[in-house]
Amino acid sequence: MKDQGVSNYIDWASVLIYITLVGLGWMNIYSSSLATTDVNASLLDFNQIYGKQLLFIILTFPIILVVLFADAKFYEKYASIIFIVSLISLAGLFVFGKTIAGQRCWYGFGSFTLQPSEFAKAATSLALAKYLSDVQVDLSKVSYQIKSLIIVFLPVLLILPQPDPGSALIYSIFMLVLFREGLPSWYIMLGFTAIFLFVMALIFEPVYISLVAGLLIVLIYIRSRRINRNYIFSTIAFILITGFVFSVDYVFNHVFKQHHRDRFNILLGKAVDMKGIGYNTNQSEIAIGSGGWLGKGFLEGTQTKGGFVPEQHTDYIFTTVGEEWGFIGSLVVIGLFITLILRIIYLAEHQRTKFSRVYGYCVAGILFIHTFVNIAMVLGIFPTIGVPLPFFSYGGSGLWGFTILLFIFLKMDANKVNEWGTV
């Protein structure tokens, strides 16, 4: 059966939420950019930040049309090639990349820049979905686990040295996708345990953490049924935990860059530099807090209009929402993101093929971690690491990358009528 009309089967609820988020995002970019804009500038002045973003939004329409009118099987058939091209584009940055603010993350084309890591998320999602949809893949076996992790971490190895830890962090969400498809739960538990121990080792002395860990292991060993006792495993666990917590100090001081250390120290209350590295977070908290329940009104934010929050149109765009639209407006925006994510998960569970289901979960996961980390970042409960808010933060690469990511899935979902003849 040939492809049915896309408009007949596309999930218009998701499209409507997408349009709403993009529209609200532009409104906030417009408001946040007025502090540095000529008051006589035209709404269609493409030299202004809001004008450029409007141009990026206009250019999403042909991108969406190309994505939707391509054969749905194209994405599965050429997933590996798309992934390889994406890796090449990331590797090419080390030779041809343009350095901005100490990061070599962009290709420069005159005044226009393109960030390939924003498109690599969709490419990695396609590659992972393609591999996991193989009928022989069984994630309970180590060999398949390793191959899956290689697909996930290859882009990370190319993104981290740029350096772009924020984009690299996003790829951790693929672990939950793998878990959904059969990856043993101990991988997830190990990851969360490592994060917890790392943070604890930054707050407390490693020796105290080791003593507490040792006590817990002994208690678990004593309370376990005799048949389940394994003193060798318990001993190895204690050695690994002790070695890990004692290595945190070295990693923190010799692997992390100074601005990363500063941000963690501020978050943990170890250092307060409101005029330096902590200025952005402090100003964002002031802006959001000043919004109250209903906000100060569109274009009425004093912190926003005064330009007190640096990078407010990019990573800190949510501060404009908080100040001008208040707590209620912020809840509405967060609710829209949650609704879109849950809608994608629902659609993913109703796919006819494993390929489209896995890809759907990748889309939902990427949107979730971006939204969660960005909002947590501007609220001061997560270190500032440069993660944009989907459809809101300024930038063509981000907007187009998220658009392609979402609409590839919507195309797959619209095409499921062709898989079995029914929706």
Side-chain angles (χ1 to χ4, degrees):
M1 181 181 294
K2 296 181 179 181
D3 262 359
Q4 305 294 319
V6 174
S7 61
N8 294 332
Y9 302 107
I10 194 169
D11 186 66
W12 287 106
S14 298
V15 174
L16 180 60
I17 297 173
Y18 164 82
I19 293 173
T20 303
L21 288 172
V22 171
L24 294 177
W26 183 84
M27 290 174 61
N28 281 274
I29 289 173
Y30 175 73
S31 179
S32 66
S33 62
L34 286 184
T36 58
T37 299
D38 182 357
V39 293
N40 297 318
S42 167
L43 196 65
L44 298 177
D45 187 348
F46 296 128
N47 291 318
Q48 305 297 336
I49 290 174
Y50 60 80
K52 293 178 181 178
Q53 187 68 12
L54 184 59
L55 179 60
F56 296 149
I57 292 172
I58 293 172
L59 291 176
T60 59
F61 289 102
I63 292 174
I64 291 172
L65 290 177
V66 170
V67 171
L68 290 181
F69 284 97
D71 191 332
K73 291 296 183 181
F74 169 86
Y75 302 110
E76 182 174 6
K77 184 177 180 180
Y78 295 102
S80 299
I81 295 176
I82 294 172
F83 182 58
I84 292 172
V85 171
S86 175
L87 293 178
I88 293 173
S89 70
L90 290 173
L93 289 171
F94 297 106
V95 179
F96 305 106
K98 181 178 182 179
T99 302
I100 301 176
Q103 292 182 310
R104 202 176 183 87
C105 302
W106 296 268
Y107 286 109
F109 304 94
S111 61
F112 177 74
T113 58
L114 197 67
Q115 188 173 2
S117 62
E118 295 295 344
F119 304 96
K121 299 162 193 172
T124 305
S125 300
L126 287 171
L128 188 62
K130 174 67 173 176
Y131 177 70
L132 294 180
S133 60
D134 190 315
V135 293
Q136 297 179 343
V137 171
D138 181 2
L139 286 180
S140 65
K141 297 180 179 179
V142 176
S143 61
Y144 295 116
Q145 295 171 12
I146 293 174
K147 292 176 182 177
S148 299
L149 293 175
I150 288 174
I151 293 173
V152 171
F153 288 110
L154 272 177
V156 174
L157 294 176
L158 294 172
I159 292 172
L160 272 177
Q162 293 177 4
D164 189 3
S167 294
L169 173 68
I170 298 304
Y171 287 79
S172 63
I173 199 66
F174 287 113
M175 295 299 294
L176 293 181
V177 178
L178 292 174
F179 174 69
R180 165 63 180 82
E181 297 302 321
L183 187 72
S185 59
W186 67 264
Y187 277 92
I188 306 297
M189 295 173 60
L190 183 63
F192 281 114
T193 300
I195 294 172
F196 175 77
L197 290 174
F198 186 89
V199 174
M200 288 298 100
L202 294 177
I203 301 174
F204 304 103
E205 291 294 330
V207 63
Y208 297 135
I209 300 175
S210 296
L211 288 175
V212 172
L215 179 61
L216 289 174
I217 290 173
V218 170
L219 290 175
I220 293 172
Y221 180 81
I222 292 174
R223 292 179 62 85
S224 298
R225 294 180 179 179
R226 186 174 301 275
I227 192 173
N228 291 328
R229 290 181 177 178
N230 190 328
Y231 71 90
I232 296 179
F233 175 80
S234 300
T235 303
I236 292 175
F238 176 73
I239 293 173
L240 290 175
I241 291 174
T242 301
F244 179 80
V245 296
F246 273 94
S247 69
V248 167
D249 185 68
Y250 177 84
V251 172
F252 188 71
N253 289 299
H254 295 87
V255 177
F256 281 28
K257 293 184 179 296
Q258 184 60 47
H259 62 278
H260 295 144
R261 295 196 294 270
D262 290 337
R263 288 164 181 170
F264 268 100
N265 285 331
I266 291 171
L267 181 67
L268 298 174
K270 287 189 173 185
V272 179
D273 180 12
M274 295 308 178
K275 295 182 179 180
I277 193 69
Y279 179 80
N280 288 24
T281 301
N282 182 54
Q283 291 300 319
S284 71
E285 291 175 354
I286 293 173
I288 292 174
S290 68
W293 284 96
L294 299 176
K296 298 176 180 177
F298 181 55
L299 304 180
E300 298 298 325
T302 53
Q303 291 290 113
T304 296
K305 291 177 69 175
F308 291 105
V309 183
E311 307 299 331
Q312 191 169 5
H313 59 289
T314 54
D315 297 339
Y316 284 84
I317 190 64
F318 193 74
T319 60
T320 308
V321 179
E323 183 180 27
E324 297 190 347
W325 299 356
F327 180 76
I328 301 301
S330 298
L331 280 184
V332 170
V333 171
I334 293 173
L336 285 171
F337 277 110
I338 292 175
T339 302
L340 178 60
I341 292 167
L342 292 178
R343 181 64 182 173
I344 293 170
I345 292 174
Y346 171 81
L347 294 175
E349 284 293 340
H350 289 78
Q351 294 303 299
R352 302 296 190 186
T353 67
K354 186 175 182 180
F355 175 80
S356 55
R357 183 186 73 224
V358 174
Y359 181 80
Y361 268 94
C362 290
V363 175
I366 291 171
L367 291 178
F368 167 77
I369 194 170
H370 263 279
T371 304
F372 173 79
V373 171
N374 179 273
I375 295 177
M377 184 178 70
V378 300
L379 291 176
I381 57 177
F382 201 88
T384 301
I385 53 174
V387 173
L389 185 62
F391 314 122
F392 266 68
S393 294
Y394 169 80
S397 297
L399 176 61
W400 298 337
F402 287 121
T403 298
I404 292 171
L405 179 78
L406 173 62
F407 277 87
I408 287 178
F409 175 67
L410 293 182
K411 170 62 179 181
M412 294 177 185
D413 179 68
N415 192 59
K416 69 177 180 286
V417 68
N418 296 317
E419 304 295 339
W420 286 38
T422 56
V423 177

